[in-house]
């Protein structure tokens, strides 16, 4: 699995994830300072959090299509440069409107990341190793979230919150330079498989299935729905958990910055191991989609239960522990959505279909943070927000059992009917 070329690709994709969530979660850590400086209400702060996902969701799909057309290397290089520049631009925000505009543009830059990671893994890794590679590559994201608390919190307390955004901009630009110098789109001289059998997402004649066919399939749509529930919990944690700790639990900024590390560390372990578990089951049973669904359904359901109960407990320790467990189980499913796309889609459409799925999933980032802010402002507590996040994920996990199925034979039947 880990040849020299693959190792370099995997390490740099891992570091891209670290930078991605370091940048993305920085705003939630700095939120108490920004709220005070710009005089934002909870609802306005929720709108700011959601504004990121407006640009992000749209460019999930556009970025995926770009990775198919122009290559994952160029797409991710441009994306990193753009999002780093606009991450640094948060330091220039002077009003609610300016902050919203910057966050939309920042989201547009970050949008292509996951689809391009999926495309690079498809280019570089064999099918029985891809879930593991996706999980390891993406496991940098919770690590970035983990270190953002101490980094942004300490810098904000000592030098002002604006300096932290400038620092992480520089880190992103350095990564982009390394990516451009050391990475190729595909392994040099590696030939495509031509064993005469149909690849995932192709009919038996080897004909490529059109993108429009995939976008109408229940397997893609309900995987996207499960991913939506995943993202709803994730964005709730990513955007509102620091404010929950300071507002509802009375923690200081310094204490909050340390406590937020705990769920992220467990998330890192979960995301790194989820793909390995799924590939292990795949090797044992020989059924890729079954191996993906076992991990997805079980762990998403457990994450839902933990986040729901977290909204009902009365102590800070129990709330943090349950949220941490929820994030752990949630991240165990993180590679699976992408692995399902790898299993059922031909290589030429992997980026586009993955980007489309990610686009639908990340509408949760538009709806969730604003809805949470509204619920908190109207009810004065976070309980309803916790329960809503958990209930949605329970429903999504059950939907996966019924609707996520192989789609290649359906395409063959569709052709015969024409």
């Amino acid at each position: 699995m880990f040849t020299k070329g693959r190792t370099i690709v995997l390490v740099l994709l891992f570091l891209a994830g670290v930078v991605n969530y370091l940048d993305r979660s920085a705003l939630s850590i700095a939120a108490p300072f920004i709220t005070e400086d710009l005089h934002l209400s909870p609802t306005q702060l929720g709108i700011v959090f959601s504004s990121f996902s407006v640009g992000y969701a749209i460019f999930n799909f556009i970025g995926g299509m770009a990775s198919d057309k122009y290559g994952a290397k160029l797409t991710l290089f441009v994306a990193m440069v753009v999002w780093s520049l606009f991450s640094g631009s948060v330091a220039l925000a002077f009003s609610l409107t300016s902050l919203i505009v910057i966050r939309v543009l920042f989201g547009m830059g970050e949008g292509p990341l996951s689809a391009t990671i999926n495309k690079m893994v498809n280019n570089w890794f064999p099918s029985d190793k891809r879930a593991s590679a996706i999980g390891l590559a993406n496991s940098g994201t919770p690590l970035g979230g983990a270190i953002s608390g101490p980094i942004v919190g300490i810098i904000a307390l000592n030098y002002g919150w604006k300096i932290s955004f400038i620092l992480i901009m520089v880190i992103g630009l350095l990564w982009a330079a390394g990516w451009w110098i050391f990475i190729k789109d595909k392994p040099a001289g590696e030939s495509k498989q031509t064993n005469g059998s149909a690849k995932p997402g192709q009919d038996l004649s080897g004909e490529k299935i059109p993108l429009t066919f995939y976008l109408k399939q229940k397997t893609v749509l309900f995987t996207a729905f499960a991913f939506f529930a995943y993202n709803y919990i994730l964005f709730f944690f990513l955007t509102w958990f620091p404010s929950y700790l300071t507002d509802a639990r009375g923690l200081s900024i310094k204490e909050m910055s340390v406590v937020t590390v705990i769920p992220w560390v467990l998330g890192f372990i979960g995301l790194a191991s989820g793909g390995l578990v799924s590939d292990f089951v795949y090797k044992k049973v020989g059924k890729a989609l079954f191996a993906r669904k076992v991990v997805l359904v079980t762990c998403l359901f457990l994450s839902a239960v933990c986040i729901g109960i977290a909204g009902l407990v009365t102590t800070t320790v129990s709330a943090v522990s349950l949220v941490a467990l929820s994030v752990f189980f949630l991240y165990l499913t993180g590679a699976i959505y992408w692995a399902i796309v790898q299993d059922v889609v031909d290589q030429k459409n992997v980026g586009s279909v993955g980007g489309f799925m990610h686009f639908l999933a990340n509408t949760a980032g538009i709806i969730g943070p604003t809805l949470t802010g509204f619920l908190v402002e109207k009810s004065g507590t976070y309980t309803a927000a916790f329960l809503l996040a958990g209930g949605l994920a329970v429903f999504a996990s059950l939907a996966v059992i019924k609707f996520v199925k192989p789609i290649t034979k359906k395409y063959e039947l569709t052709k015969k009917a024409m």
Side-chain angles (χ1 to χ4, degrees):
M1 176 176 177
F2 296 109
T3 63
K4 182 179 178 181
R6 288 175 181 167
T7 299
I8 295 172
V9 169
L10 205 57
V11 167
L12 281 176
L13 290 176
F14 174 87
L15 292 176
V18 173
V19 176
N20 180 271
Y21 264 53
L22 173 62
D23 290 5
R24 192 188 305 190
S25 58
L27 186 73
S28 63
I29 300 298
F33 299 102
I34 297 173
T35 298
E36 183 178 353
D37 284 0
L38 300 183
H39 309 291
L40 304 179
S41 69
T43 298
Q44 289 175 325
L45 182 60
I47 293 171
V48 171
F49 286 145
S50 292
S51 63
F52 162 85
S53 290
V54 174
Y56 184 70
I58 294 170
F59 272 75
N60 292 157
F61 192 20
I62 293 175
M65 294 178 69
S67 71
D68 282 336
K69 184 172 183 179
Y70 301 109
K73 175 184 175 178
L74 177 61
T75 302
L76 188 50
F77 171 78
V78 173
M80 177 67 79
V81 171
V82 171
W83 98 51
S84 296
L85 291 174
F86 283 105
S87 177
S89 296
V90 172
L92 303 177
F94 57 88
S95 66
L96 173 63
T97 301
S98 65
L99 185 56
I100 289 173
V101 170
I102 290 169
R103 290 295 289 181
V104 170
L105 295 171
F106 170 64
M108 290 168 63
E110 286 207 343
L113 175 66
S114 293
T116 52
I117 287 178
N118 208 39
K119 183 70 174 181
M120 286 296 290
V121 167
N122 188 267
N123 289 346
W124 280 84
F125 291 85
S127 60
D128 62 343
K129 300 291 192 299
R130 286 173 183 162
S132 300
I134 293 166
L136 292 170
N138 282 293
S139 65
T141 58
L143 187 60
I147 64 176
S148 70
I151 289 176
V152 177
I154 291 171
I155 293 175
L157 286 170
N158 291 281
Y159 304 103
W161 64 268
K162 295 182 178 182
I163 299 299
S164 60
F165 285 90
I166 295 172
L167 174 63
I168 57 181
M169 174 186 70
V170 173
I171 293 172
L173 293 176
L174 290 174
W175 182 94
W179 175 258
W180 189 254
I181 293 170
F182 295 111
I183 296 300
K184 295 180 179 179
D185 253 313
K186 295 182 179 180
E190 186 169 293
S191 61
K192 296 182 179 179
Q193 297 176 353
T194 56
N195 58 9
S197 61
K199 298 178 185 178
Q202 290 180 322
D203 70 3
L204 294 177
S205 69
E207 181 182 346
K208 174 175 170 275
I209 299 175
L211 174 62
T212 53
F213 173 79
Y214 289 120
L215 303 190
K216 297 181 287 186
Q217 295 305 309
K218 289 181 180 179
T219 294
V220 172
L221 295 174
F222 280 93
T223 299
F225 175 53
F227 208 176
F228 176 94
Y230 167 99
N231 274 318
Y232 194 97
I233 294 176
L234 179 59
F235 273 96
F236 173 65
F237 168 70
L238 182 65
T239 57
W240 280 104
F241 189 58
S243 296
Y244 164 76
L245 292 175
T246 55
D247 296 342
R249 296 297 175 182
L251 272 62
S252 67
I253 299 295
K254 184 177 181 180
E255 291 170 333
M256 175 269 287
S257 298
V258 175
V259 168
T260 54
V261 173
I262 299 171
W264 283 122
V265 171
L266 287 179
F268 165 71
I269 297 170
L271 191 48
S273 58
L276 295 170
V277 172
S278 180
D279 279 343
F280 175 79
V281 176
Y282 179 14
K283 290 176 183 177
K284 291 295 182 182
V285 302
K287 298 179 179 179
L289 200 56
F290 174 80
R292 311 313 182 202
K293 288 173 66 173
V294 165
V295 177
L296 197 163
V297 172
T298 303
C299 295
L300 186 60
F301 182 84
L302 290 172
S303 176
V305 172
C306 289
I307 198 72
I309 297 175
L312 302 174
V313 297
T314 57
T315 67
T316 301
V317 172
S318 57
V320 171
S321 298
L322 284 164
V323 169
L325 284 173
S326 178
V327 172
F328 171 71
F329 288 121
L330 187 73
Y331 269 120
L332 277 169
T333 74
I336 307 305
Y337 311 97
W338 299 103
I340 290 174
V341 172
Q342 299 271 4
D343 293 334
V344 300
V345 176
D346 66 286
Q347 188 180 53
K348 292 184 179 180
N349 278 319
V350 162
S352 299
V353 175
F356 174 74
M357 175 191 70
H358 205 211
F359 157 70
L360 294 180
N362 276 290
T363 57
I366 301 171
I367 299 167
T370 298
L371 181 57
T372 298
F374 175 79
L375 291 173
V376 170
E377 186 167 343
K378 294 301 180 183
S379 68
T381 72
Y382 286 78
T383 302
F386 277 99
L387 292 174
L388 178 58
L392 185 63
V394 168
F395 185 60
S397 64
L398 297 176
V400 168
I401 297 174
K402 181 173 177 61
F403 294 109
V404 175
K405 299 175 182 179
I407 63 176
T408 304
K409 289 184 178 179
K410 291 183 180 180
Y411 178 62
E412 294 166 9
L413 291 172
T414 300
K415 287 186 67 184
K416 289 178 181 179
M418 292 175 63

